[in-house]
Amino acid sequence: QVELVESGGGLVQAGGSLRLSCTASGRAFSTYTMGWFRQAPGKEREFVAVFNWSGLTYYADSVKGRFTISRDNAKNTVYLQMNSLKPEDTAVYFCAADRRSYTSSWYPNYWGQGTQVTVSS
């Protein structure tokens, strides 16, 4: 099993920035594809960004150019740098992991508890 713990959420003004962190347990972190999802009140959980085992990254159209995913394998940590935040970015953000590479049907087996991001106007 893989345990994921997110941190870095909070309240920011529109146009501001936050960096989310997700630290994973285990010694095989570098072999897992790591990603971020989010869920706003009353909406379905949606894909945000992913860092494949191969090193390739993918982003949802809604966050391209504003968000950047990165990882530090030595620290077993994946990051989501969020810039130019908008009120519509408000959601609970979840870290996720799976051994499989990202595809359009990717749905991870392992999930963190989530961290709240609130963007005020």
Side-chain angles (χ1 to χ4, degrees):
Q1 294 187 355
V2 176
E3 182 177 351
L4 306 172
V5 180
E6 304 100 330
S7 64
L11 173 65
V12 297
Q13 296 283 330
S17 298
L18 284 174
R19 188 179 74 162
L20 306 183
S21 299
C22 173
T23 299
S25 65
R27 298 186 179 186
F29 177 80
S30 64
T31 70
Y32 280 78
T33 293
M34 303 290 297
W36 293 91
F37 289 71
R38 67 186 182 185
Q39 187 166 19
K43 296 184 178 180
E44 297 290 325
R45 188 169 299 186
E46 65 175 347
F47 168 78
V48 175
V50 66
F51 198 123
N52 263 344
W53 178 21
S54 65
L56 296 177
T57 60
Y58 300 88
Y59 297 90
D61 288 342
S62 60
V63 306
K64 284 182 178 177
R66 299 188 299 120
F67 291 12
T68 302
I69 188 170
S70 62
R71 60 193 293 172
D72 185 339
N73 289 336
K75 297 181 178 180
N76 284 6
T77 299
V78 62
Y79 304 95
L80 185 68
Q81 178 66 47
M82 305 185 295
N83 298 325
S84 301
L85 283 162
K86 305 174 181 179
E88 50 263 45
D89 295 318
T90 296
V92 176
Y93 284 71
F94 296 90
C95 180
D98 199 272
R99 284 192 171 273
R100 295 167 294 179
S101 296
Y102 173 79
T103 67
S104 60
S105 62
W106 189 66
Y107 195 80
N109 285 326
Y110 304 101
W111 296 86
Q113 293 292 321
T115 185
Q116 177 71 46
V117 172
T118 302
V119 184
S120 64
S121 60

